[in-house]
Structures are given as C-alpha cells and as structure tokens.
Amino acid sequence: MGTSAGPAADARHQGPVRSGAPDGAGPVRGRHLVTRPEHAAPDPSAGPSPAGEIGRRPLDPDGELRELAGDCVHCGFCLPACPTYQLWGEEMDSPRGRIHLIIQLLDGAEGGEAAATHFDRCLGCMACVTACPSGVRYDRLIEAARTWTEERPAGPAGVAPLPPRSLRDRVIRRAIFETFPYPRRLRALTGPLRAAQRAGLDRLAGRSELAARLAPELVAALQVAPGRPATGRRNQAGRPDASARPGQRGRAGQAGLPERIPARGQRRAVVGMLTGCVQRVFFPHVNAATARVLAAEGCDVIVPRSQGCCGALSLHGGRRAEAARFARRAIAVFEAAGVDAVIVNSAGCGSAMKEYGELLADDPPWSARATALAGQVRDFSQFLAELGPAAPRSPLPITVAYHDACHLGHAQRITSQPRQLLAAIPGLTLAEIADGSICCGSAGIYNLVQPDAAAELGARKAAAVYGTGADLLVTANPGCSMQIATALDTRGTPLPAAHIAEVLDASIRALSPTTLTAR
C-alpha cells in the first residue's frame, strides 16, 4: 500500500472506512435503551471509564471487552449477514448496533429492558464474525453481554448493567438449563412429549392464539421435539428397532454403545467420542453411526461412561460459571481416557469445547489442561478429512441438501470438509441451499425462548431446502435437524433428515438409500 493510501479498514484504533461522520448506530426513537445514572456519570474531561464501572462493579477490569469492541470500524458488512437484521431491519438488532450498546454500558450507562431485548434477540450464529473484514470477536462480546443478565452480581457492590429478567423468564430459563444439559432428566420428558404429540396437542397448540400467547415456549417444544422413537438399536435394514424402548441403555457406555469399539482392520488412531445431551437422548442412532464410521476408518473409539454435558448451552446462553463446571468435568473425563483426539458430532458442542482454553484462562489449575484438551477436539467431518478414507464407499444414489450448522460453518470455519466427504460417495448428488450461511433459527435454546423469530427463520430455511429438490436433508447438528424438519412439516413439504455420519455409514455398509429416507 502506497503512502497516499488511506488508513487500513481493519486496523485497530483507526476510524471508520468512510469519510465524514462515523457510521455508527443512529438514534432509536421511542425506545428507552440506556440511561446514565448520576452515581456512574463520568467526568466529561476525564473521558470514558476504562473499566466500565457501574457503581463499584467493574464490567471490564482488564479492558479486554473495550479493546474487542474498538476493533469495529462501523463498515456495515455484518448487516446483510445478520439474520435478525434481515428480519426487522433494526440497527440495534444488528451486530454493529449491539456493539454500540455494549460500548455505552462499558462507559457506565445502565441498560433498559429494550437493550436487554436486543441482546436476547441475537442468535449467536456468528455469521457476522465470518463476514467482518476487521476480525471483530463479536462472539466474545455477546457472550459477555449475556452474562450481565444471567450471572447477576451479589451484594451491594454488584450493580448490574441490565435489568433483571421477569419472574416468568427466570422460571422458563431455569427449567431449560436444569433439564437439557442432563440426559436423564431430558429423557424423562420424552414420554410426556411424545404422548402429547400422538394426541395431536402439538398441532392444536400451534393453532391456538391463546396457547401461543400464554406458553409460547411449551408450544415450541411440542412442535420441535422429534416424534420418532429415541433408540440406538436398529434392525438389519438400518431402521429404528421398534422393540427397543426409548433411551434404553446397554450395560456399558452411552445409550447402548460399549465403552470401547475396536477399529476394523489396521488401527490408525484412538479417539474419544462425545455423546452429547440432546444427541444422546433424541438421536442415539447418530451416535451409533458415528462410532461405526470411525471404527470402519481404523479408529478405536472410546466412549467414556462418566461423561456429561460439555457446557455448550450454558456457555452460549451467558451462564459462564455453569459452563466452566461442565468443562472441568469433560476435561477430566477425556484426559483419563488417554485418546489421540476427541470427536464431536454436534456443531454447538464442538465449538464450545474448542473454547475451553478461553473459558478457563483465569483458572490456573485448569487453564493449561483446558487449552490442551481444546487442541484435541475435532469435529467428526474435520477429523475424517484429516485422517483420509480407509473404508471403501458403496454407491448411494440419492440427492442430498447439506445445511451448514452455524457453529460448524461460522464458529469453527468447517465448510469444505463435509462437502468433500459427501462428494466422495459414488452416486450421491450434492445440492447447495440458497443463502446457506443464514441461520435456521435453532441456535441452542433460541427456538424455545424466541419462538416467533425462530419460526420465521425456519420457514425461510425450509423454503430454500425444498427449492433444492433434494431427497434428503443432511446436517451436523441435532438442533438444526429438528428445527428445519419442523419447518418443512409446517409448510406441508416434509423431508427426511440425516446426520452426515448416517450418510457415510449407509455408504460404507452398502445400505439402500431408503434406510435414510424411509422415516
């Protein structure tokens, strides 16, 4: 770049890329977003508080958040990539607008309910991180903002920057976070959920304006929960075995999987396998297919019996301390397993586990261990692409539409590997989904706590999937699979869905495409 060139657009501490007034968030009329209380009002001559103190509680004691927010040059590249900005066209529902709010809170302002709502509306899909030319770590910023609501400080020194949630919201979120990360508790709910579905209550509730107004989270749960039996056992044709009870466990391992599955042929690696929470309860057949494919590719697969939640839902939901507790347990379990890599077949879980080093950076007894474990974590597709194929693939004449899960494509930047694995299957045709980088609306617990926005995003994704003319939807995240399948059913164009591990498993075992589509 010559001396006559302007400042680099992605350089830290430099101004907006456009000349003139900063292209920041404009005023929002009729919305009370933030106030600057008297006890926190800064001295204009002193500039903004570097620690972002409110009362006596520093929000950003080491200045990290302010530095991250300062990387934003207001270019607006994030706007067309952001699903909520696409829905509403509201500046404060864009990453740029939310960063503007975060900066105000760091400067000592107190956010109102409207500000908290704008943070809650964010899916955390990280499409903006992919689109940003300045490399802004919006993921770190939005996770911090969510902790200001979820982990409210105690004592007189703890004046929070955002108002407390309503009692109703606190009860709903507590129920979610005390259920989903615990497979036994989640499994206990599958019976009532399926009984309600068989009785048609999900469709009835979906048509009821009263139910949608009084209990939208319950309506969403009834509609999104998969209706087929949750069993890891399958018959010779590859279909779920109806004789097995939902959630039935074997004597060892997770959901019927033995603790050690030996490699077929020459052993090439010893890997640990995360079975997950939602995956284990609702999609154990995906875990079974994952283990079979890894074994066929020459891996000894270790499935630790004592593993639990990885902490992904908690971390992405602003419950950082809770996520850290889950992370420590996962680290200890997989350290004891003595494996070369930890394989994860759920995009959100893999993304969270790769962040363990950052999550526990300020915990000296665990920081080095967390970084080491995070370095061993591999997404299923990522690992297979690195390992290279060993098992022969049989023809699988089928057209599939592959959906990029946000926490795989954006958070982990894994997009080419799944496509390479699918394209290598003889007879398989891969169809691309229009606007494939846009979130489907699942986003962890988003489709439960923001059901209207999630439903609209799901409808858009379903229309795009249907437009491919594919026989099968393929993805790498259980939440996406449930969300898109529900949206396809709602529009009257149902389409079977499968995990990429199931597709590879069918090809390696020379099964018919009907084992994937006849569901």
Side-chain angles (χ1 to χ4, degrees):
M1 181 179 289
T3 56
S4 61
D10 60 348
R12 183 173 291 170
H13 306 310
Q14 296 188 6
V17 294
R18 300 187 183 97
S19 60
D23 188 22
V28 181
R29 295 184 176 90
R31 302 291 295 277
H32 199 56
L33 292 174
V34 298
T35 59
R36 191 174 296 280
E38 292 183 5
H39 68 266
D43 180 355
S45 63
S49 167
E53 289 190 356
I54 291 184
R56 288 179 287 164
R57 179 200 180 217
L59 288 181
D60 187 25
D62 57 5
E64 179 188 16
L65 296 178
R66 179 173 296 282
E67 187 174 11
L68 293 175
D71 287 341
C72 178
V73 297
H74 321 297
C75 67
F77 276 79
C78 60
L79 301 185
C82 176
T84 53
Y85 186 80
Q86 285 194 14
L87 286 180
W88 304 307
E90 171 78 42
E91 175 72 20
M92 291 304 164
D93 285 317
S94 74
R96 184 173 66 179
R98 294 183 182 109
I99 290 173
H100 180 77
L101 284 177
I102 288 171
I103 291 173
Q104 291 187 71
L105 297 179
L106 293 177
D107 282 347
E110 289 185 359
E113 290 185 8
T117 297
H118 289 304
F119 291 135
D120 283 344
R121 283 178 174 176
C122 175
L123 293 110
C125 68
M126 303 306 132
C128 56
V129 177
T130 302
C132 181
S134 301
V136 176
R137 288 295 306 273
Y138 177 80
D139 53 331
R140 300 280 295 278
L141 292 169
I142 192 63
E143 284 177 6
R146 284 175 170 157
T147 65
W148 299 339
T149 300
E150 294 296 324
E151 296 183 343
R152 300 183 64 78
V159 180
L162 292 170
R165 296 191 185 279
S166 68
L167 176 61
R168 182 186 182 281
D169 283 351
R170 293 199 302 273
V171 169
I172 292 294
R173 287 174 180 267
R174 180 172 180 177
I176 289 172
F177 285 106
E178 289 192 359
T179 302
F180 280 81
Y182 303 94
R184 289 184 180 178
R185 300 177 190 177
L186 185 58
R187 188 176 292 113
L189 292 179
T190 59
L193 274 175
R194 293 197 175 99
Q197 289 173 332
R198 285 193 294 269
L201 294 183
D202 54 336
R203 293 179 176 83
L204 182 63
R207 293 193 298 266
S208 170
E209 293 184 5
L210 181 62
R213 186 168 65 252
L214 296 180
E217 299 87 357
L218 179 59
V219 173
L222 284 171
Q223 293 178 327
V224 172
R228 66 176 180 268
T231 170
R233 293 169 55 184
R234 292 195 162 206
N235 57 29
Q236 290 183 347
R239 297 187 181 90
D241 185 347
S243 66
R245 295 192 304 274
Q248 189 176 31
R249 291 172 58 95
R251 288 189 301 170
Q254 301 278 340
L257 292 175
E259 284 194 272
R260 188 180 190 96
I261 301 160
R264 289 170 53 188
Q266 182 179 359
R267 187 174 72 185
R268 306 166 71 194
V270 179
V271 301
M273 177 177 153
L274 182 81
T275 54
C277 301
V278 171
Q279 195 86 288
R280 190 189 316 178
V281 174
F282 289 117
F283 301 98
H285 49 279
V286 171
N287 283 339
T290 300
R292 284 195 297 266
V293 171
L294 290 170
E297 296 290 17
C299 299
D300 278 0
V301 183
I302 309 300
V303 187
R305 188 185 312 182
S306 58
Q307 66 175 288
C309 180
C310 68
L313 282 182
S314 302
L315 178 62
H316 300 148
R319 302 165 74 95
R320 197 171 180 86
E322 182 177 84
R325 291 195 296 271
F326 285 128
R328 293 185 193 98
R329 177 180 175 182
I331 292 166
V333 166
F334 283 105
E335 280 179 341
V339 296
D340 303 321
V342 178
I343 309 304
V344 185
N345 60 11
S346 174
C349 298
S351 172
M353 294 183 75
K354 288 180 178 180
E355 294 179 47
Y356 278 177
E358 294 179 353
L359 176 63
L360 298 176
D362 297 327
D363 189 346
W366 288 91
S367 58
R369 297 169 66 182
T371 299
L373 193 281
Q376 289 184 293
V377 175
R378 293 290 186 275
D379 173 73
F380 172 75
S381 296
Q382 176 189 20
F383 178 77
L384 290 183
E386 293 173 352
L387 186 66
R393 269 57 167 170
S394 298
L396 196 65
I398 190 172
T399 299
V400 305
Y402 176 74
H403 164 70
D404 286 292
C406 294
H407 275 89
L408 191 63
H410 295 308
Q412 300 184 58
R413 306 296 176 95
I414 295 173
T415 56
S416 62
Q417 296 94 322
R419 289 172 170 82
Q420 291 169 2
L421 293 171
L422 291 170
I425 297 175
L428 184 144
T429 301
L430 180 60
E432 290 293 339
I433 301 171
D435 292 326
S437 63
I438 297 297
C439 184
C440 67
S442 173
I445 67 168
Y446 191 88
N447 55 1
L448 298 181
V449 297
Q450 299 283 339
D452 292 339
E456 188 167 351
L457 290 170
R460 294 184 181 192
K461 181 65 68 174
V465 170
Y466 180 73
T468 66
D471 307 308
L472 180 72
L473 169 68
V474 177
T475 186
N477 196 60
C480 299
S481 180
M482 291 188 287
Q483 170 76 359
I484 302 174
T486 298
L488 285 162
D489 286 345
T490 299
R491 74 188 304 270
T493 56
L495 190 71
H499 192 281
I500 186 172
E502 296 182 278
V503 180
L504 292 171
D505 181 51
S507 176
I508 291 171
R509 297 167 66 198
L511 299 178
S512 166
T514 58
T515 61
L516 298 170
T517 58
R519 298 184 176 186

